[in-house]
Amino acid sequence: MAPPFRNDHIGSLLRPKELLEARESLASPSQMYSLEIPESAKAAEREAIRNIVQLQLQKGIWPITDGEFARHIYYGGLFEKLGGFEARPTLPIPDAFRTDFPTTTKLAQMGAKTRAAVVCTGKIAYKESPYLPEWLSLRENLPQDLWRAAKITIPSPMYQHIQLKPGTAWTAESGYTSDEEYLDDLANCYAAELKTLYDAGVRNIQVDDPHLTYFASSAFLGGCRKDGTDTDALLDLYTRTHNKLLAGKPKDLHVGMHLCRGNMSGSVNWVDGSYEVIAKKLFNETDYETYYLEFDDVERAGGFEPLRFLPRGKNVVLGLVSTKRAELEEPGAIKEKIRMAAKVIADAQGVSIPEALDCLAVSPQCGFSSSSLAGGKGMTEDIMWKKLELVKQVADEVWD
């Protein structure tokens, strides 16, 4: 099965200076879950979204996104808008988090003492759509026949759970007595959100779950052992939760999953390691149609060998253009990597190279600005567009 687009991108784009200035009062990490957005910032968001949509249309960049311009960070705007959750802006590092959790470990090395999170303190409930306003803001800049060419991103339902100290994602006062109950209700909210967005015209959603790559991290696995956490059981719980949120989705709603190893300011990544450890389970035990995977750096992400586990009927978007480095990749080198990936799939599935190519696409390895202030070293808006245009050029030459 072919992916929706041969040239794709992960969603977030560098924020223009005017938007960053308008959101300056919200720039602190402790405010990443703030729901108090000044009207001046909202107006700047609308203007920036209008401009970024038009630029994508002019340059033929697909799918069309809002650049995540209405968010402080890629996972913002969801948990804090569900009933039963409470933002905690200054949880202590490391005490409030999993032992040796890669993100908080690196943040501590950078000097951070606290980190914001959202904790469940009551019955989880879907009261209003977290992301419908974002979709409507994007949609109003497109003719209806191009709604299908747009994509909206949402964070994984496990985002809070995987980072918080075991047993603290929900409080005793919440009424929950197990992680299963907590995640079941979250999955129900996600299913409701998918339906709301679908009814409003969304046909392409990307679920961002970079933390699944932590299951290939010795630091994360070692920390879990110290905490007494069975990581096989935890990964099973997470894959079941993903499938539960997808169970009732309409057939013509495309939903894919993005996995990377962190993409913070200054080209920081949180973990390294191949998809090898999780690939078989990921591809065969989750019900996503598309997997957006980073392959731009062998040392960070490993090679294409894990693609041998990809079953027929699913597809992969190869993240071969780096958002962490300003240097522009060579088109020929990217095309050679696409052929290498196709050969792994062809050999494993017993199909021809052209058939294997049909289940592939190309993209940058991650978003260009996973948080408002993030961006790869030396990355500029001009370089960002050159990289997106390079992705389109390579896709046109490989698949047209």
Side-chain angles (χ1 to χ4, degrees):
M1 181 181 71
F5 302 95
R6 295 300 185 186
N7 62 294
D8 211 310
H9 68 100
I10 304 305
S12 69
L13 300 168
L14 290 174
R15 274 67 162 176
K17 178 183 175 184
E18 296 78 10
L19 179 56
L20 291 175
E21 290 175 349
R23 291 183 59 91
E24 189 173 7
S25 64
L26 303 167
S28 169
S30 66
Q31 294 175 291
M32 67 174 64
Y33 297 114
S34 175
L35 296 177
E36 298 178 3
I37 311 297
E39 187 52 46
S40 58
K42 292 181 180 178
E45 289 167 5
R46 290 192 293 270
E47 179 65 18
I49 290 168
R50 190 158 42 245
N51 292 338
I52 203 71
V53 168
Q54 291 308 309
L55 281 168
Q56 288 172 91
L57 290 172
Q58 291 167 16
K59 296 174 182 293
I61 304 301
W62 310 109
I64 303 158
T65 79
D66 64 359
E68 297 178 0
F69 283 0
R71 305 181 198 179
H72 172 84
I73 199 160
Y74 76 92
Y75 49 80
L78 191 140
F79 296 94
E80 62 270 34
K81 292 182 181 177
L82 296 176
F85 280 95
E86 181 181 305
R88 302 281 175 86
T90 54
L91 290 177
I93 295 173
D95 295 349
F97 300 90
R98 290 186 188 271
T99 300
D100 298 335
F101 191 66
T103 307
T104 47
T105 298
K106 256 190 184 176
L107 287 173
Q109 292 169 356
M110 296 174 188
K113 304 294 184 184
T114 64
R115 178 170 169 81
V118 186
V119 175
C120 174
T121 58
K123 178 70 173 175
I124 298 172
Y126 184 80
K127 294 184 175 180
E128 61 177 323
S129 170
Y131 289 141
L132 180 60
E134 289 188 19
W135 167 246
L136 295 178
S137 179
L138 172 59
R139 195 184 78 173
E140 71 181 13
N141 293 289
L142 293 169
Q144 188 168 350
D145 64 339
L146 282 182
W147 291 0
R148 283 183 170 275
K151 178 169 72 173
I152 190 165
T153 65
I154 63 176
S156 161
M158 278 65 72
Y159 184 84
Q160 306 296 334
H161 185 272
I162 193 172
Q163 65 171 331
L164 290 167
K165 188 175 181 178
T168 67
W170 39 270
T171 65
E173 294 75 24
S174 69
Y176 292 101
T177 60
S178 71
D179 291 336
E180 288 79 5
E181 292 175 357
Y182 162 87
L183 289 173
D184 276 352
D185 278 356
L186 254 179
N188 289 335
C189 289
Y190 268 69
E193 178 72 343
L194 262 57
K195 183 178 186 306
T196 297
L197 294 173
Y198 178 85
D199 289 345
V202 174
R203 292 298 181 269
N204 190 5
I205 294 175
Q206 174 186 299
V207 178
D208 291 320
D209 197 350
H211 284 146
L212 283 188
T213 63
Y214 285 24
F215 286 89
S217 160
S218 59
F220 174 72
L221 297 174
C224 286
R225 282 193 295 271
K226 293 177 185 178
D227 288 338
T229 299
D230 181 337
T231 51
D232 290 336
L234 187 64
L235 185 54
D236 282 340
L237 175 61
Y238 287 177
T239 55
R240 287 199 304 272
T241 303
H242 275 294
N243 290 341
K244 183 166 185 177
L245 75 89
L246 294 171
K249 82 171 185 67
K251 282 189 175 181
D252 61 337
L253 174 62
H254 172 267
V255 187
M257 178 198 282
H258 167 62
L259 296 89
C260 68
R261 290 153 186 81
N263 190 51
M264 303 315 294
S265 184
S267 302
V268 170
N269 58 285
W270 304 123
V271 295
D272 300 290
S274 168
Y275 292 106
E276 182 72 22
V277 178
I278 61 171
K280 186 174 182 179
K281 189 175 192 70
L282 176 71
F283 294 148
N284 294 278
E285 295 184 27
T286 64
D287 295 333
Y288 290 98
E289 302 164 65
T290 300
Y291 300 90
Y292 303 86
L293 306 179
E294 64 174 347
F295 285 109
D296 64 310
D297 186 310
V298 172
E299 289 187 11
R300 182 187 346 110
F304 298 118
E305 293 82 5
L307 296 178
R308 71 187 184 278
F309 295 115
L310 185 74
R312 296 190 189 192
K314 292 192 174 189
N315 54 75
V316 168
V317 178
L318 302 169
L320 296 175
V321 172
S322 179
T323 65
K324 296 180 180 294
R325 294 190 300 271
E327 296 80 13
L328 205 60
E329 290 81 357
E330 288 292 331
I334 300 172
K335 287 186 276 189
E336 177 58 28
K337 288 181 179 180
I338 293 171
R339 285 189 286 271
M340 290 168 61
K343 186 175 188 312
V344 171
I345 295 170
D347 289 348
Q349 294 185 359
V351 300
S352 66
I353 295 290
E355 287 176 294
L357 279 171
D358 191 52
C359 69
L360 292 174
V362 65
S363 75
Q365 119 286 335
C366 197
F368 283 90
S369 190
S370 297
S371 75
S372 290
L373 303 178
K377 289 180 181 178
M379 191 63 64
T380 65
E381 290 182 68
D382 181 59
I383 294 171
M384 175 184 76
W385 289 116
K386 286 180 179 177
K387 290 203 171 222
L388 289 169
E389 289 168 339
L390 173 62
V391 168
K392 182 180 185 301
Q393 173 195 335
V394 169
D396 288 348
E397 292 174 0
V398 171
W399 285 283
D400 280 4

